[in-house]
Amino acid sequence: MAGILDTVDQRTQLVGENRLEILMFRLAGRQLFAINVFKVQEVLQLPKLTLMPQRHPFVCGVVNLRGQTLPVIDLSQAIGMRPLVPGPNSTIIVTEYNRSVQAFLVGGVDRIVNMNWEAILPPPTSAGRQHYLTAISKVDDQLVEIIDVEKVLAEIVPYNAKVSREKLEDPVLERARGREVLLVDDSNVALSQLRDTLGQLGIKMHIASDGLKALNMLKSWADAGHVMTDKLLMIFTDAEMPEMDGYRLTTEIRNDPRLRKLYVVLHTSLSGSFNESMVKKVGCDNFLSKFQPDKLVDVVRQRLMLDEQPA
């Protein structure tokens, strides 16, 4: 079963091409769901499951995988569908988000599909499990729902957006007050964390839910005559988003003479080792894993210090 990921090493070729690979699977019914292959470490049969007292209702238990203890999350129950019953023939998807590794119990894995981000669309604004989706698409005329795993994980272990007092007392950060930044992310959970953290610095925030909307916003400001480095202190962009990903957004920024000097931070739940190399490839200025309020403030400070350097 793990062989389904044998070609994952080729994924770096997709960066900057506005393409992605998704791993499709089913939960408690016939509906197809997906997550980005970048987040997946392996797919395997459920090892021996150990129950834990006082565990979260969505957590089935824990497994030991090569010396590492991982929580197993019932992804079906977590997005409001009927629970799955774990058994010896059950399948788990082992993933890494925001420097943490966990396994998701699923009904069965379908396949990996290589797609263009332009074919990935925002979910419809409706009730039900749409609340847990970041996007939708179609594969072979079948609807595929892409799950907002950050939201699922945040409901199990709520994120902390509070900045430590010693960071807030840094006089350099006073220069951030009243400055403007652009936040680009399709996850409401991630946007809330950014707003909650940056709001403590008195920063004014503009929001875009995908890279294409962000690019259009930037170009409209430039068309209106704004000097963009005066207008925006910096841009925080997610990597994976519908219609245009963060890598392509950065490439487009660097290719526009009016935008190219903007300070772009890749703010993502993807693994650090992968992104640190890709940041250089597409021309980002910095990289930060999500849900680290103090480190987020450190990145703002680094940007502010650049203003003191001679031109």
Side-chain angles (χ1 to χ4, degrees):
M1 193 182 304
I4 197 168
L5 296 176
D6 285 346
T7 61
V8 168
D9 286 342
Q10 300 172 12
R11 68 189 186 270
T12 56
Q13 299 173 13
L14 305 178
V15 171
E17 303 300 324
N18 210 39
R19 298 188 67 82
L20 80 159
E21 287 181 316
I22 57 172
L23 173 62
M24 300 193 302
F25 53 89
R26 289 180 169 84
L27 295 175
R30 296 188 58 81
Q31 173 61 46
L32 281 171
F33 297 91
I35 58 176
N36 194 328
V37 169
F38 282 14
K39 310 284 184 73
V40 178
Q41 291 190 349
E42 58 184 318
V43 178
L44 67 158
Q45 192 168 306
L46 176 67
K48 181 183 177 182
L49 186 67
T50 302
L51 301 182
M52 297 175 61
Q54 299 180 330
R55 65 185 184 275
H56 191 280
F58 300 160
V59 177
C60 307
V62 298
V63 295
N64 188 283
L65 194 61
R66 291 182 288 279
Q68 187 176 16
T69 300
L70 305 180
V72 178
I73 298 166
D74 181 347
L75 194 50
S76 181
Q77 185 178 9
I79 66 168
M81 298 175 65
R82 63 180 172 84
L84 296 171
V85 179
N89 296 319
S90 296
T91 300
I92 59 172
I93 302 174
V94 180
T95 65
E96 181 179 356
Y97 284 81
N98 305 318
R99 308 165 318 283
S100 71
V101 180
Q102 53 282 309
F104 291 109
L105 182 71
V106 298
V109 166
D110 186 83
R111 58 192 155 126
I112 288 175
V113 178
N114 185 315
M115 302 187 72
N116 192 305
W117 271 113
E118 292 171 357
I120 308 294
L121 303 174
T125 54
S126 60
R129 67 169 178 264
Q130 311 296 344
H131 193 47
Y132 291 94
L133 305 180
T134 59
I136 59 171
S137 190
K138 276 195 172 182
V139 175
D140 298 334
D141 292 324
Q142 283 189 285
L143 181 69
V144 180
E145 300 183 348
I146 300 174
I147 293 177
D148 186 351
V149 179
E150 290 172 5
K151 178 172 177 55
V152 171
L153 295 176
E155 291 190 352
I156 296 171
V157 182
Y159 68 83
N160 174 26
K162 188 173 179 58
V163 181
S164 64
R165 179 179 296 180
E166 63 182 44
K167 295 286 184 184
L168 291 177
E169 290 175 348
D170 186 335
V172 173
L173 293 175
E174 276 298 314
R175 300 206 300 271
R177 191 166 299 278
R179 297 295 302 271
E180 299 177 39
V181 301
L182 175 59
L183 312 179
V184 192
D185 205 304
D186 62 329
S187 169
N188 287 330
V189 172
L191 287 173
S192 293
Q193 184 259 339
L194 282 167
R195 284 195 297 258
D196 291 350
T197 299
L198 295 174
Q200 296 170 63
L201 304 181
I203 287 175
K204 179 181 178 182
M205 289 160 271
H206 303 275
I207 306 293
S209 58
D210 63 63
L212 184 59
K213 289 185 178 69
L215 184 62
N216 290 337
M217 191 180 297
L218 291 168
K219 287 185 173 182
S220 69
W221 285 330
D223 290 344
H226 289 282
V227 177
M228 295 306 296
T229 49
D230 293 340
K231 169 73 176 172
L232 291 178
L233 178 66
M234 58 206 304
I235 299 170
F236 290 94
T237 179
D238 189 20
E240 51 171 0
M241 294 175 289
E243 299 198 74
M244 180 183 289
D245 65 23
Y247 303 114
R248 173 56 67 87
L249 170 62
T250 305
T251 300
E252 295 291 336
I253 289 171
R254 298 304 180 222
N255 287 338
D256 189 323
R258 304 169 302 170
L259 309 177
R260 65 170 50 138
K261 292 185 179 180
L262 285 167
Y263 192 91
V264 181
V265 180
L266 192 67
H267 182 246
T268 173
S269 55
L270 298 176
S271 65
S273 57
F274 169 75
N275 272 296
E276 285 165 9
S277 60
M278 292 305 102
V279 159
K280 296 177 182 178
K281 179 176 177 179
V282 298
C284 291
D285 295 285
N286 215 324
F287 162 75
L288 179 67
S289 293
K290 290 181 178 178
F291 308 120
Q292 301 183 90
D294 278 4
K295 290 190 176 181
L296 180 61
V297 169
D298 285 341
V299 169
V300 175
R301 188 184 193 280
Q302 290 171 30
R303 167 64 187 91
L304 290 167
M305 292 299 291
L306 291 177
D307 290 339
E308 296 185 355
Q309 297 180 6

